[in-house]
């Protein structure tokens, strides 16, 4: 059986995903066979594995950091929000239906614990180490009884826990202490210490606070990671993170030719896999921004309508905002528009949806000769083909089935036979996510966009998106190696949490440990068995800290 570690966080967006990826890259560089794991993920950014399973994009990125092929074992439960109170449940890579928050936390989640533990044990039997990522905060006391992703999985596997805090937000010491103090004694037994993320300035000024935190909790801080620019990688599903990353990287890279190329991405509701534009943002001279007003399309050389978990809802939103009319005007003027997955369906003639929105037949924008019917079975695939005379690879995640009734083929099998999508004038559409990561195709496509826009933009010939992603993952590994106590982290992975960690009152509300409230200055020689947790009130929404503000 292998060792392992759970990376928890004081909040959502504290940096759990990137720290997990950094630890995976650090370990694999020292010869450790390592795998990432997240028992339950809530994300609209997903990926398709080689065996055709849908998992969170963050876990696919972490697998790349570990230099292993991603599998469904690494993310057995994926929740894809479809509204304020319900999500599609993807189990072992396959959609098994929609479920309300009350239904999920009211019993279904507990039933999944054996599944996620089995997946973790399979990974532990294959790898030297498994690095788990938590969700939101382990101190979400309203959800602790049904938790399978934070302390629930740590307790089941007896994994030590390191809590990550984002000091850039402020209040990191209170967050570390409060997170620990709200856990039951048996949970606190596994919390080995802390990791400060996104620190700016002189670390020596932070050290007195770290010493006091050690005195208060009996737990060390395993490292202070500096704020690092240029980490435009797949961090869960936080739009704000992705947006900052793409804009930042676009601005710092000067154009290879005389002009820049401006790309506007319509920020539709329930936007999914907006990581599709990361490859464009990595191109020198390509400026990517997310927009929600029609006037913001006027100076764009390319407008992208991205994927969405709510195609009919996104179509209505485009109409309400005036963006639908702006897209029609662009098409009439021969100005480029690209639709990806749900965006492709929106650009078609009509949509028949009895599955996602149950809205029946809805008229779409009519910019492509495509009719879409939603099927209950989701298409999950890793296709490959050609486009614009260059090789293309991608992945498909959609319920919509396209009936193409005209236009030019877009993605073909190399003999000119249509595989997916179509083109009509300056409007393109495809179901394939990730196609723009194919370097030759991206350069050829941007060249055509620049020609249509009248821009003297020239794609840089040496841009390799895969190499740039490797550089970013190496940077994460460097942050761990250079700024964390890697010897101590390795001891945790090998041997588990140290014995005799003190209990910090008050503990989880309602538990016997909380009522006893022993003093943290008198740690017991050995903590007893797990304390039972009283049943909290049922939550009314899945929108806990594990749900990002963008949703």
């Amino acid at each position: 059986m292998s060792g392992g570690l759970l990376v928890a966080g004081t909040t959502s967006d504290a940096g759990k995903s990137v720290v997990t990826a950094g630890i995976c890259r650090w370990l694999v560089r020292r010869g450790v066979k390592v795998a990432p794991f997240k028992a339950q993920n809530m994300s609209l950014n997903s990926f398709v594995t080689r065996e055709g399973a849908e998992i969170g994009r963050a876990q696919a990125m972490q697998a790349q950091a570990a230099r292993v092929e991603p599998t469904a074992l690494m993310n057995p439960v994926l929740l894809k929000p479809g509204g304020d109170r319900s999500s599609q449940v993807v189990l072992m890579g396959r959609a098994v239906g929609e479920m309300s928050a009350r239904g999920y936390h009211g019993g279904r989640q507990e039933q999944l614990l054996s599944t996620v533990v089995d997946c973790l044990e399979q990974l532990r039997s294959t790898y030297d180490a498994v690095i788990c990522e938590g969700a939101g905060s382990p101190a979400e006391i309203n959800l602790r009884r049904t938790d399978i992703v934070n302390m629930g999985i740590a307790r089941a596997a007896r994994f030590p826990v390191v809590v990550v805090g984002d000091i850039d937000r402020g209040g990191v010491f209170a967050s570390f202490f409060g997170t620990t103090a709200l856990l039951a004694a048996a949970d606190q037994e596994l919390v080995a210490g802390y990791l400060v993320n996104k620190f700016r300035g002189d670390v020596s000024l932070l050290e007195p606070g770290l010493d006091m935190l050690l005195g208060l909790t009996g737990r060390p801080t395993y490292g202070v990671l500096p704020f690092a620019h240029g980490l435009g990688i797949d961090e869960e599903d936080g739009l704000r993170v992705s947006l900052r990353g793409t804009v930042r990287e676009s601005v710092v890279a000067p154009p290879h030719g005389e002009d820049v190329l401006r790309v506007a991405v319509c920020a539709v509701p329930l936007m999914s896999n907006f990581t599709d534009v990361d490859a464009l943002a990595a191109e020198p001279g390509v400026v990517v921004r997310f927009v929600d007003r029609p006037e913001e399309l006027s100076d764009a050389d390319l407008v992208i309508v991205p994927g969405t978990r709510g195609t009919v809802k996104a179509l209505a939103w485009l109409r309400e905002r005036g963006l639908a009319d702006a897209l029609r005007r662009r098409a009439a003027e021969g100005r480029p528009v690209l639709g990806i997955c749900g965006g492709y369906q929106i650009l078609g003639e009509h949509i028949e949806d009895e599955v996602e929105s149950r809205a029946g037949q809805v008229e779409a924008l009519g910019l492509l000769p495509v009719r879409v019917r939603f099927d209950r079975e989701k298409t999950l695939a890793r296709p490959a083909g050609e486009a614009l005379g260059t090789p293309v690879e991608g992945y498909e995640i959609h319920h919509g089935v396209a009936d193409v009734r005209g236009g030019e083929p877009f993605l073909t099998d190399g003999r000119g036979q249509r595989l997916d999508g179509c083109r009509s004038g300056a409007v393109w559409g495809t179901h394939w996510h990730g196609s723009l990561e194919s370097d030759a195709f991206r350069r050829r496509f941007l060249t055509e966009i620049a020609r249509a826009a009248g821009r003297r933009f020239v794609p840089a010939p040496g841009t390799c998106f895969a190499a740039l992603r490797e550089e970013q993952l190496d940077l994460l590994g460097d942050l761990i190696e250079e700024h964390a106590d890697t010897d101590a982290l390795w001891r945790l992975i090998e041997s588990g949490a140290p014995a005799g960690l003190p209990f910090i009152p008050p503990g989880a509300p309602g538990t016997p440990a909380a009522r006893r409230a022993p003093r943290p200055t008198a740690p017991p020689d050995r903590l007893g068995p797990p304390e039972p947790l009283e049943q909290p009130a049922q939550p009314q929404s899945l929108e806990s800290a594990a749900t990002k503000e963008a949703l």
Side-chain angles (χ1 to χ4, degrees):
M1 195 68 70
S2 74
L5 178 73
L6 174 72
V7 178
T10 56
T11 63
S12 292
D13 215 15
K16 298 182 295 292
S17 295
V18 294
V19 168
T20 300
I23 293 174
C24 286
R25 179 50 61 101
W26 157 63
L27 287 173
V28 76
R29 289 197 305 207
R30 62 179 289 175
V32 177
K33 187 178 180 183
V34 59
F37 178 77
K38 184 160 186 172
Q40 172 196 295
N41 198 350
M42 178 173 274
S43 178
L44 287 172
N45 285 337
S46 57
F47 183 75
V48 179
T49 66
R50 291 290 179 192
E51 72 267 29
E54 184 179 8
I55 67 172
R57 260 257 357 162
Q59 279 60 68
M61 175 270 292
Q62 290 160 358
Q64 185 177 352
R67 295 179 180 149
V68 296
E69 190 67 32
T71 73
L73 293 174
M74 298 172 183
N75 180 207
V77 182
L78 173 64
L79 304 177
K80 303 191 74 174
D84 291 337
R85 293 178 179 269
S86 68
S87 290
Q88 183 181 70
V89 181
V90 179
L91 179 61
M92 295 304 296
R94 293 288 184 273
V96 295
E98 298 282 330
M99 186 166 288
S100 68
R102 182 178 294 274
Y104 186 70
H105 289 286
R108 178 61 170 166
Q109 191 176 31
E110 289 178 287
Q111 296 170 8
L112 295 174
L113 180 59
S114 61
T115 298
V116 302
V117 169
D118 181 63
C119 290
L120 178 56
E121 293 307 301
Q122 289 187 58
L123 291 175
R124 294 180 73 182
S125 68
T126 305
Y127 293 89
D128 302 327
V130 180
I131 307 302
C132 305
E133 179 190 345
S137 164
E140 291 175 357
I141 54 180
N142 59 314
L143 304 178
R144 176 61 185 93
R145 182 180 63 82
T146 57
D147 171 46
I148 63 172
V149 64
N150 289 307
M151 301 312 300
I153 196 68
R155 290 256 297 260
R158 301 304 301 170
F159 273 2
V161 178
V162 172
V163 181
V164 178
D166 180 357
I167 197 170
D168 200 45
R169 294 182 172 190
V172 73
F173 294 117
S175 297
F176 283 146
F177 184 88
T179 296
T180 309
L182 281 175
L183 300 178
D187 288 345
Q188 289 192 25
E189 178 185 355
L190 297 175
V191 176
Y194 313 106
L195 193 64
V196 176
N197 190 30
K198 299 182 185 177
F199 180 71
R200 306 171 191 252
D202 187 346
V203 176
S204 67
L205 299 177
L206 192 66
E207 288 173 352
L210 300 179
D211 291 339
M212 285 186 277
L213 183 66
L214 173 61
L216 287 167
T217 67
R219 292 160 173 85
T221 298
Y222 287 94
V224 178
L225 307 183
F227 190 99
H229 293 279
L231 298 181
I233 62 175
D234 308 334
E235 285 190 89
E236 282 298 325
D237 48 8
L239 173 59
R240 294 175 295 109
V241 175
S242 179
L243 178 57
R244 288 199 302 268
T246 55
V247 170
R248 180 176 63 244
E249 289 167 15
S250 298
V251 171
V252 299
H256 184 71
E258 296 180 47
D259 285 348
V260 299
L261 207 64
R262 296 173 176 84
V263 178
V265 184
C266 295
V268 297
L270 298 173
M271 187 177 358
S272 61
N273 287 66
F274 47 80
T275 48
D276 283 331
V277 304
D278 287 349
L280 293 179
E283 282 284 348
V286 175
V287 179
V288 178
R289 66 183 188 273
F290 289 84
V291 302
D292 60 3
R293 298 194 301 268
E295 57 269 25
E296 294 178 294
L297 304 188
S298 60
D299 67 342
D301 303 308
L302 169 66
V303 173
I304 294 178
V305 186
T308 171
R309 171 84 165 87
T311 303
V312 171
K313 182 176 182 179
L315 177 58
W317 181 86
L318 289 168
R319 287 185 169 124
E320 291 165 3
R321 293 273 178 156
L323 288 160
D325 290 337
L327 288 168
R328 288 194 184 97
R329 286 194 297 271
R330 285 187 66 90
E333 296 166 359
R335 302 178 67 197
V337 177
L338 171 65
I340 301 175
C341 199
Y344 169 39
Q345 298 164 7
I346 286 169
L347 298 180
E349 296 174 352
H350 71 250
I351 298 166
E352 184 180 339
D353 180 11
E354 300 291 350
V355 176
E356 191 174 76
S357 68
R358 298 180 176 86
Q361 186 163 308
V362 178
E363 293 303 310
L365 297 187
L367 303 183
L368 290 173
V370 177
R371 299 180 181 181
V372 175
R373 176 185 55 82
F374 274 61
D375 193 3
R376 294 195 178 278
E377 291 296 319
K378 185 185 290 189
T379 297
L380 298 171
R382 288 281 292 272
E386 290 188 3
L388 303 180
T390 62
V392 182
E393 293 183 355
Y395 57 99
E396 295 183 71
I397 307 170
H398 54 91
H399 285 280
V401 178
D403 177 14
V404 182
R405 302 192 171 195
E408 304 173 33
F410 186 16
L411 299 162
T412 70
D413 62 1
R415 299 187 298 274
Q417 298 299 308
R418 188 192 312 271
L419 288 178
D420 181 78
C422 71
R423 174 185 181 180
S424 178
V427 181
W428 289 265
T430 176
H431 274 129
W432 291 15
H433 294 289
S435 60
L436 293 168
E437 295 179 18
S438 299
D439 297 326
F441 165 66
R442 183 179 65 254
R443 285 192 282 269
R444 189 71 59 86
F445 180 69
L446 289 176
T447 298
E448 191 149 340
I449 296 300
R451 186 183 302 116
R455 296 284 186 188
R456 290 174 293 184
F457 169 84
V458 179
T463 303
C464 175
F465 183 74
L468 291 173
R469 177 55 55 88
E470 279 296 304
E471 289 178 10
Q472 291 171 326
L473 294 173
D474 276 333
L475 176 57
L476 291 181
D478 292 343
L479 288 174
I480 297 297
E481 194 164 337
E482 296 170 10
H483 300 282
D485 186 345
T486 53
D487 289 339
L489 287 176
W490 180 245
R491 286 194 297 272
L492 287 180
I493 293 168
E494 270 196 317
S495 306
L501 290 170
F503 173 79
I504 310 300
T511 65
R515 290 194 291 268
R516 288 196 304 268
R519 295 177 59 83
T521 53
D525 293 333
R526 184 181 65 84
L527 293 173
E531 300 286 358
L533 296 173
E534 289 189 359
Q535 181 172 334
Q538 291 297 328
Q540 297 299 308
S541 171
L542 280 173
E543 303 244 342
S544 65
T547 311
K548 301 294 184 283
E549 295 174 14
L551 303 181

